[in-house]
């Protein structure tokens, strides 16, 4: 069980990240912790793992959690055994077997005589057969590092497991092993992930926001359905409030005009009746005061409704506020863009594909490149972009405009400000205020315009890149997406999904995110062997 009461956390600069958080995770519960980037999900996991201190509040856990971080760079100098925190125990076992059965070694081993076998079995289960426990972590790929820490679960056999983006860097096969573990796990689980296939295997969704933690008693699809209902209710309330504001303005105008007519009619009657000037002035002053009171009452009512309307608009999810205007490719459907005949490539005098590749890509198609990590997907992309030439066979490309979007969004120039980045894509047809209107449309308000691009999050870079592409006069004929969802939270994945679905050109995607591939309507696959 995990209990969090009145939890507050402040950054070292004393900025408050969250306060007064309350959370209960019961024994054997499987919980997803989701929320927009920057809201504090990873920080909360570190707090629960005992890696960060609370400013205020209380944490209770039944036992010490096993924690897997999202970033592994801090372990590069460690061996695999050290990263898994079993090096001392393995050392003690070897020394005991060598005849050094002293108190120190026996205490370190703690009767865990099967530790070595358990490490080997765990690594083999995650397809890390042959990986030496003495090997340095810096020699491993991102996917291997992730699997090392996942193997640690069955090595340590904890009651509570905290996982931060556990499917990051994993290929399709490794993800299937992870999904199988999640389904069968008896541990108490809490994980942060944007992998919606994974999130659908969990029994509850805890949404962390600036308002605290909201609990949804179901998997991700249940959560998404509930959020849709909430969003539709919010949109309806927004529409009703906009109507109320229009009506209030019309009523104020009608009332004021009617009062002014009454005042004018009354003045004429008074003039005909020969009312003395002093009395006329008094009556006029009273009429003006009455009109002013009526006007003030209506202004107050309009202001109140306008404030409510502003609050409702601020509560809208970013995806509902953003307007995407993607131009389409001018190429006719079916035009052949890429033809590959018997192509192959080699590294260190070794061909990377067992069988040469043969395929065509036609205008308007939506294709995914499939293959395990290391199967040559990036190499093939470089051939399609004419950055590499095959060592055998031929690849022919039509003269088309292709945009390559990698997971680091390298199209963004970190030396530029947000406005300068957008302006760089302007073909000269948009004025400064029009570029800023486009930036606003992609949720970059005035406060962002002078912000350096290097300070943006992954999701912000993705939105700025999309904004830049819509500013560009010439729409790309083909877009290549290379693991585009790796560094995005769920909200920004949905924004990217909407943008991709509005684009009607040719799409080539590398992704292990099957949920995303389904949502963007991939039609066929080019499969690479390893």
């Amino acid at each position: 069980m995990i209990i969090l009461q009145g939890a507050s956390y402040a950054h070292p600069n004393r900025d408050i990240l969250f306060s007064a958080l309350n959370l209960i995770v019961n024994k054997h519960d499987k919980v997803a912790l989701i929320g927009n980037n920057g809201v504090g999900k990873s920080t909360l996991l570190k707090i629960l793992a005992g890696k960060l201190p609370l400013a205020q509040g209380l944490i209770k856990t039944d036992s010490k959690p096993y924690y897997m971080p999202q970033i592994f760079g801090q372990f590069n100098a460690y061996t695999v055994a050290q990263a898994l925190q079993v090096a001392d125990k393995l050392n003690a076992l070897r020394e005991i077997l060598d005849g050094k059965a002293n108190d120190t070694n026996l205490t370190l081993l703690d009767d865990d005589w099967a530790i070595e076998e358990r490490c080997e079995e765990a690594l083999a289960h995650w397809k890390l057969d042959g990986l030496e426990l003495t090997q340095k972590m810096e020699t491993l790929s991102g996917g291997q590092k992730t699997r090392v820490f996942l193997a640690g679960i069955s090595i340590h056999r904890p009651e509570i497991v905290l996982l931060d983006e556990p499917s990051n860097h994993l290929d399709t096969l490794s993800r299937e092993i992870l999904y199988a573990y999640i389904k069968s796990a008896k541990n108490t689980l809490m994980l942060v992930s944007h992998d919606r296939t994974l999130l659908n295997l969990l029994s509850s969704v805890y949404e962390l926001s600036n308002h605290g933690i909201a609990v949804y008693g179901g998997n991700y699809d249940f959560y998404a359905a509930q959020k849709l209902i909430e969003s539709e209710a919010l949109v309806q309330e927004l529409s009703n409030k906009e109507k109320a504001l229009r009506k209030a303005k019309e009523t104020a105008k009608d009332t004021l005009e009617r009062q002014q007519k009454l005042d004018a009619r009354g003045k004429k009657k008074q003039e005909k009746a020969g009312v003395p000037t002093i009395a006329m002035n008094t009556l006029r002053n009273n009429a003006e005061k009455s009109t002013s009171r009526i006007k003030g009452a209506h202004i107050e009512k309009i202001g109140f409704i306008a404030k409510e309307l502003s609050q409702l608009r601020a509560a809208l999810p970013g995806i509902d506020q953003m307007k995407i205007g993607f131009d389409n490719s001018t190429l006719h459907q079916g035009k052949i863009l890429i033809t590959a005949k018997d192509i192959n490539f080699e590294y260190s005098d070794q061909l990377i594909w067992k069988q040469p590749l043969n395929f065509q890509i036609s205008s308007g198609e939506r294709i995914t490149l499939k293959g395990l990590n290391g199967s040559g997907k990036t190499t093939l992309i470089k051939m399609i972009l004419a950055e590499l030439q095959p060592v055998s066979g031929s690849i022919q490309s039509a003269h088309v405009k292709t945009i390559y979007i990698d997971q680091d969004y390298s199209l963004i120039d970190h030396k530029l400000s947000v406005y300068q980045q957008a302006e760089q894509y302007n073909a000269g047809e948009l004025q400064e205020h029009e570029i800023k209107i486009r930036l606003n449309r992609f949720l970059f308000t005035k406060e962002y315009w002078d912000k350096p691009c290097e300070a943006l999050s992954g999701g912000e870079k993705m939105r700025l890149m999309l904004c830049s592409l819509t500013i560009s006069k010439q729409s790309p004929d083909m877009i290549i997406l290379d693991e585009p969802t790796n560094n995005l939270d769920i909200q920004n994945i949905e924004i990217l999904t909407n943008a991709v679905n509005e684009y009607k050109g040719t799409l080539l995607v590398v992704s292990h995110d099957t949920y995303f591939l389904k949502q963007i309507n991939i039609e066929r696959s080019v499969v690479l062997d390893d």
Side-chain angles (χ1 to χ4, degrees):
M1 176 179 269
I2 303 171
I3 298 174
L4 194 67
Q5 292 179 336
S8 299
Y9 178 79
H11 291 298
N13 65 1
R14 298 186 179 180
D15 286 346
I16 300 295
L17 179 60
F18 50 70
S19 61
L21 283 187
N22 295 294
L23 164 72
I24 295 177
V25 180
N26 292 311
K27 196 170 185 178
H28 305 308
D29 277 359
K30 298 177 184 180
V31 171
L33 180 64
I34 68 172
N36 294 339
N37 282 350
V39 78
K41 303 184 298 296
S42 293
T43 299
L44 183 53
L45 276 196
K46 288 176 185 175
I47 289 168
L48 295 174
K51 305 293 183 183
L52 288 175
L54 281 175
Q56 285 183 326
L58 176 70
I59 302 173
K60 290 182 181 177
T61 58
D62 290 342
S63 61
K64 183 181 178 180
Y66 178 83
Y67 167 68
M68 176 182 141
Q70 180 181 355
I71 299 168
F72 309 120
Q74 66 272 35
F75 299 102
N76 278 348
Y78 290 35
T79 65
V80 171
Q82 287 171 332
L84 288 170
Q85 298 180 41
V86 294
D88 290 343
K89 189 175 279 194
L90 289 168
N91 241 8
L93 174 63
R94 292 187 189 110
E95 291 208 357
I96 291 169
L97 294 176
D98 285 343
K100 299 176 183 177
N102 55 44
D103 288 345
T104 301
N105 285 334
L106 289 169
T107 300
L108 282 171
L109 184 60
D110 193 24
D111 280 338
D112 192 359
W113 299 96
I115 179 64
E116 196 164 34
E117 290 83 357
R118 205 161 62 252
C119 287
E120 290 175 1
E121 289 171 6
L123 292 173
H125 177 75
W126 288 96
K127 307 302 178 189
L128 294 168
D129 314 65
L131 181 66
E132 295 292 334
L133 289 162
T134 54
Q135 190 169 334
K136 285 289 185 74
M137 290 289 286
E138 64 188 354
T139 65
L140 307 183
S141 68
Q144 288 174 317
K145 290 175 183 176
T146 300
R147 284 181 282 151
V148 162
F149 280 95
L150 288 170
I153 299 171
S154 51
I155 292 171
H156 289 282
R157 297 177 293 193
E159 292 182 17
I160 300 171
V161 177
L162 307 173
L163 304 176
D164 196 352
E165 297 288 0
S167 62
N168 268 13
H169 310 296
L170 296 185
D171 58 26
T172 303
L173 176 60
S174 298
R175 287 189 184 214
E176 290 301 329
I177 300 172
L178 173 62
Y179 300 157
Y181 159 67
I182 297 295
K183 289 176 187 175
S184 63
K186 304 301 180 188
N187 324 74
T188 302
L189 284 179
M190 175 177 273
L191 59 87
V192 171
S193 180
H194 63 263
D195 181 344
R196 290 159 295 178
T197 302
L198 175 56
L199 295 176
N200 269 334
L201 303 176
L202 304 170
S203 54
S204 300
V205 173
Y206 288 28
E207 182 183 41
L208 179 62
S209 70
N210 295 330
H211 306 294
I213 294 177
V215 178
Y216 294 82
N219 64 7
Y220 178 78
D221 281 347
F222 175 83
Y223 159 81
Q226 294 302 306
K227 292 297 286 186
L228 181 60
I229 292 169
E230 291 175 15
S231 179
E232 287 173 346
L234 185 60
V235 169
Q236 184 59 51
E237 190 178 355
L238 186 65
S239 176
N240 292 340
K241 200 62 68 177
E242 286 172 340
K243 289 177 184 175
L245 183 61
R246 285 196 300 271
K247 187 174 180 181
K249 288 179 177 180
E250 289 169 2
T251 301
K253 181 183 176 184
D254 293 344
T255 303
L256 195 59
E257 288 176 352
R258 189 164 55 250
Q259 185 64 37
Q260 287 170 344
K261 287 178 182 177
L262 288 172
D263 291 346
R265 196 176 300 130
K267 184 180 178 182
K268 285 182 181 178
K269 285 182 180 179
Q270 292 155 12
E271 287 173 349
K272 285 182 180 179
V275 176
T277 303
I278 294 175
M280 284 276 287
N281 287 339
T282 302
L283 291 169
R284 186 181 70 248
N285 288 339
N286 289 340
E288 287 174 354
K289 287 178 183 178
S290 176
T291 302
S292 179
R293 277 196 305 273
I294 293 169
K295 187 177 181 181
H298 281 287
I299 288 173
E300 186 177 348
K301 183 178 181 181
I302 289 169
F304 181 74
I305 295 173
K307 184 179 178 181
E308 287 185 321
L309 189 58
S310 177
Q311 290 171 342
L312 285 171
R313 283 177 177 151
L316 273 178
I319 193 168
D320 291 329
Q321 297 181 53
M322 196 170 68
K323 304 295 182 185
I324 299 171
F326 237 1
D327 290 335
N328 298 328
S329 167
T330 56
L331 294 180
H332 66 79
Q333 292 286 104
K335 176 181 171 65
I336 296 174
L337 306 184
I338 306 290
T339 301
K341 293 182 178 178
D342 295 324
I343 63 169
N344 215 325
F345 198 79
E346 63 181 22
Y347 290 106
S348 304
D349 298 324
Q350 185 171 356
L351 294 173
I352 61 175
W353 299 307
K354 294 174 183 175
Q355 298 295 328
L357 297 179
N358 291 276
F359 62 87
Q360 277 190 338
I361 298 176
S362 300
S363 177
E365 282 195 295
R366 293 187 164 228
I367 302 169
T368 181
L369 292 185
K370 281 191 174 181
L372 300 179
N373 288 342
S375 61
K377 297 186 293 295
T378 301
T379 299
L380 180 55
I381 287 173
K382 288 182 178 179
M383 286 193 212
I384 290 170
L385 294 170
E387 294 176 6
L388 287 177
Q389 293 299 318
V391 295
S392 60
S394 65
I395 185 165
Q396 296 177 335
S397 303
H399 184 65
V400 294
K401 182 179 180 183
T402 300
I403 295 289
Y404 173 54
I405 300 171
D406 61 16
Q407 57 189 293
D408 297 319
Y409 306 106
S410 302
L411 289 176
I412 301 295
D413 187 340
H414 287 177
K415 299 189 296 293
L416 302 179
S417 69
V418 167
Y419 174 79
Q420 288 170 335
Q421 171 67 33
E423 209 280 330
Q424 194 177 48
Y425 277 74
N426 183 22
E429 296 193 355
L430 296 181
Q431 300 295 318
E432 180 178 336
H433 72 279
E434 292 175 306
I435 293 174
K436 289 176 176 177
I437 288 171
R438 295 285 183 98
L439 285 168
N440 268 298
R441 190 186 295 170
F442 281 81
L443 312 182
F444 292 105
T445 53
K446 185 178 180 181
E447 292 74 26
Y448 277 92
W449 296 342
D450 294 325
K451 191 173 183 178
C453 290
E454 64 182 353
L456 299 180
S457 68
E460 288 168 339
K461 287 177 184 176
M462 181 274 296
R463 283 191 276 112
L464 182 56
M465 180 203 64
L466 291 177
C467 180
S468 299
L469 292 179
T470 64
I471 287 171
S472 176
K473 184 179 178 182
Q474 185 182 356
S475 176
D477 299 309
M478 180 162 67
I479 295 178
I480 300 175
L481 298 174
D482 191 353
E483 295 289 1
T485 63
N486 265 10
N487 299 312
L488 302 184
D489 60 14
I490 291 172
Q491 183 192 45
N492 281 301
I493 290 175
E494 289 175 352
I495 288 170
L496 176 62
T497 300
N498 279 8
V500 168
N501 283 337
E502 285 190 20
Y503 173 66
K504 303 305 178 188
T506 309
L507 194 65
L508 183 62
V509 185
V510 174
S511 179
H512 298 296
D513 187 339
T514 54
Y515 199 103
F516 174 70
L517 293 175
K518 184 178 178 182
Q519 284 197 316
I520 61 172
N521 304 308
I522 290 296
E523 297 162 342
R524 68 182 179 92
S525 304
V526 173
V527 182
L528 310 183
D529 59 37
D530 57 1

